[in-house]
Amino acid sequence: MANAQLMANAIRALAMDAVQLANSGHPGAPMGMADMAVALWGRHLRHNPADPHWANRDRFVLSNGHGSMLLYALLHLTGYALPIEEIKNFRQLHSKTAGHPEVGVTPGVETTTGPLGQGLANAVGMALAEKLLAAEFNREGHAIVDHHTYVFLGDGCLMEGISHEACALAGAWKLSKLIALYDDNGISIDGRVSPWYVDDVAQRFNAYQWNVIGPVDGHNSDIVAAAIAQAREETDRPTLIICKTHIGKGSPNRANTAKAHGEPLGSEEIALTRAALGWKHAPFEIPRRVYADWDARRAGAKAQSAWDKRFAAYAKAWPELAAEFSRRMAGELPKSFAQTAVDAVVQAHAEAQSVASRKASQITLEAFTAKIPELLGGSADLTGSNLTHTASTPQLRFDKSGAVARDAEGRTGRHINYGVREFGMAAIMNGIALHGGFIPYGGTFLTFSDYSRNALRMAALMKQRVVHVFTHDSIGLGEDGPTHQAVEHAASLRLIPGLDVWRPADTAETAVAWSVALSNASRPTALLLSRQNLPYLPKKAVGDISRGAYILAEPQDAGLKKAAQAVIIATGSEVSLALAAQKLLAEKRIAVRVVSMPSNTTFDRESLKYKKLVLPEGLPRIAVEMGVSEGWWKYGCAAVVGIDRFGESAPAKVLLPYFGFTAENVAATVQAALRRK
């Protein structure tokens, strides 16, 4: 490319000018990776700026998201709807150029990055989704799913432990269309990384069964482009290209220093850098010839048009498959979903089984996975405990050549053994959802949600439909003790904005929870499920369960013809305890309403009218949940039967009375609240 240096310098100029104007940001990484970007975006990346959601586009992830101006510059220069005014508005309120890239805000951004390592894990999920969709939908002569996933990453991404989890899985899954370019500049916020980062990265990735290229000169776009071309020829391994670069490339006094990392260069240094680069243009001024060299609109339109023709031929030969592919990539549930959901809830209500809610989840999943082919399950080495595997979801396996293996019935796998990698699983699930075509769900113990919490937060921030199956939800798991007994976790997860949290009490509530989770196209969901068996709760109807809380039993249901004097609110395994307490109180002529609240987060979005209907004003409210009391006081509770300490190692039947989870203690707590009224 004759103007490769000018193209790279345009990125450097935009990066240092935008950071300087904002007086905030990270100019060094974009300046250092500019030549790598020219090699990829200028020669290899297949995308269409006019249609950022084209199904068969290559995916690009900037895992070291603090270098966001690299991506914003690329999107602007190649022709996306990101005008120069947005570049000037970098890091300002409501701009499309936030401090770190945000999916759904900026056209062309594939995932929200910033927490280091997670973008890399997202890219692994995207590459897995591509591979599985290709195996499912492609037919001889019709390769409608055929694209690469590229990711830029830095030292920080590789230092984060999640990179080990995700990259080990990428090697195991033989994701040959995943190509990672490592910006090896040896500098982080604290300075040169050599005293604290001594990994032999090449050997590390060789051990993961990756194809490793380099180190190569990351400032020679021809060499980097050749390395990418070589990586694209790989058929059974992901590729890491190690690119040796200089952070802040072009800056006479800031290059190769930590000062280039996270602060503006300053007006004097920018002037010196312009001179050193031979860049004679004013801030935010890009010559027409540079715009012309970067413009990807014509090539993108041509690539998408060619794919459209291939897809039309595919649709003619395989009309049902084409319609199914289009539906799934659009994120639409099957037309049969509503009936499948109703049938699952009605069946649960009719059979009234007394099983653990983790088993109730599996029963529901059997129905849903049979009818919803995009459900892609998994577990972090706890399949037999999380019960995420169903008859319709064979285990995902790959043959020696790297192809997706098929079972005796010719089915590809739909259940993933993630190994003991909770954080990696959660972030990979985010990548799968972002790619499109699948609804991922994955299981582990609730207490281990701590490991994956930041990826849970990112799913909520990105508004992605992923479902987390968290079993062993309380001290009720017993002998494993406080290390495994979730106490603060339900309250903690409910604090994450946009994350729906469900703690169902029986099979019907579990079926409703799954139905709502799958219906929520822009919300992740956490299902908190019991290890121990739970009795089926007698209920007149199931229609209001989906509202997050509903009136389960009135005083009349306990044989007392009086208006309610108090309300007991309970979740999960404690709802049956609330019913037992209601009966004890009825014997003492104390009238109580029992409210089951399987999802606080859902109930909180209900109308004020419905909230007052379920929780009438003027009646003392007593919450019962085997977890910390924090979070229940917002409902105006007079008391909470909870556990504000860690648990103990003992059988559940010993622990429950020890911590006060008995009908007698709940009844006594209600009586005490009434006396204080």
Side-chain angles (χ1 to χ4, degrees), residues 46-361:
R46 185 173 53 182
H47 63 118
N48 184 6
D51 186 1
H53 303 292
W54 169 35
N56 202 45
R57 69 192 181 279
D58 288 337
R59 270 62 169 180
F60 173 76
V61 174
L62 183 68
S63 188
N64 41 353
H66 56 271
S68 57
M69 266 310 305
L70 173 78
L71 182 52
Y72 298 148
L74 287 166
L75 294 171
H76 168 71
L77 292 167
T78 56
Y80 284 80
L82 195 69
I84 197 68
E85 288 74 23
E86 290 291 349
I87 303 297
K88 294 178 181 179
N89 212 22
F90 179 55
R91 288 187 164 224
Q92 304 309 302
L93 184 64
H94 300 149
S95 75
K96 292 184 179 180
T97 49
H100 292 80
E102 294 186 31
V103 67
V105 173
T106 313
V109 171
E110 300 284 2
T111 181
T112 300
T113 55
L116 293 176
Q118 284 198 63
L120 174 58
N122 294 164
V124 172
M126 293 175 187
L128 177 63
E130 190 275 343
K131 185 167 187 172
L132 296 182
L133 286 170
E136 184 176 354
F137 287 99
N138 287 354
R139 293 294 183 269
E140 187 174 355
H142 298 281
I144 60 159
V145 182
D146 182 17
H147 54 267
H148 285 77
T149 300
Y150 297 96
V151 54
F152 279 13
L153 59 126
D155 292 311
C157 295
L158 294 183
M159 289 186 221
E160 290 286 359
I162 190 175
S163 67
H164 166 66
E165 297 183 27
C167 292
L169 283 168
W173 295 336
K174 304 178 185 296
L175 300 179
S176 60
K177 289 186 177 178
L178 173 63
I179 300 175
L181 286 83
Y182 167 33
D183 176 32
D184 184 9
N185 60 43
I187 298 290
S188 69
I189 294 174
D190 283 352
R192 292 201 171 275
V193 301
S194 51
W196 59 83
Y197 186 57
V198 296
D199 297 26
D200 186 327
V201 173
Q203 292 284 36
R204 174 182 164 187
F205 277 77
N206 279 326
Y208 294 148
Q209 306 299 307
W210 282 52
N211 171 41
V212 179
I213 299 175
V216 302
D217 181 357
H219 295 304
N220 187 319
S221 60
D222 290 334
I223 290 175
V224 177
I228 296 171
Q230 181 183 339
R232 288 171 59 91
E233 296 299 316
E234 185 65 34
T235 59
D236 65 352
R237 292 179 298 173
T239 295
L240 178 74
I241 303 173
I242 301 174
C243 300
K244 285 288 186 181
T245 64
H246 301 283
I247 193 170
K249 170 73 171 176
S251 172
N253 300 302
R254 292 289 184 90
N256 300 315
T257 71
K259 278 190 168 293
H261 176 86
E263 60 184 71
L265 296 182
S267 57
E268 291 184 10
E269 186 65 17
I270 287 177
L272 292 173
T273 304
R274 276 185 152 76
L277 295 175
W279 188 263
K280 301 178 181 179
H281 312 287
F284 303 103
E285 180 183 309
I286 305 296
R288 288 184 180 180
R289 58 176 174 166
V290 176
Y291 273 125
D293 286 340
W294 269 117
D295 194 345
R297 289 173 292 184
R298 180 177 297 177
K302 183 178 179 181
Q304 184 169 354
S305 177
W307 182 83
D308 287 343
K309 291 177 181 177
R310 294 199 304 273
F311 189 79
Y314 175 77
K316 186 175 181 180
W318 305 92
E320 292 183 2
L321 282 175
E324 178 71 357
F325 176 79
S326 297
R327 176 190 71 77
R328 285 171 53 173
M329 292 305 293
E332 300 170 356
L333 290 168
K335 291 181 179 179
S336 62
F337 170 74
Q339 189 60 52
T340 301
V342 169
D343 291 345
V345 176
V346 169
Q347 182 176 351
H349 186 49
E351 294 183 356
Q353 294 186 70
S354 294
V355 296
S357 53
R358 61 172 175 159
K359 181 61 179 177
S361 171

Side-chain angles (χ1 to χ4, degrees), residues 425-462:
M425 174 179 71
I428 287 169
M429 286 164 58
N430 289 347
I432 292 169
L434 286 159
H435 180 279
F438 291 104
I439 300 173
Y441 66 92
T444 188
F445 289 176
L446 177 55
T447 189
F448 300 150
S449 64
D450 288 338
Y451 285 128
S452 51
R453 183 179 178 86
N454 201 266
L456 284 163
R457 181 179 187 272
M458 294 303 294
L461 179 61
M462 296 188 288

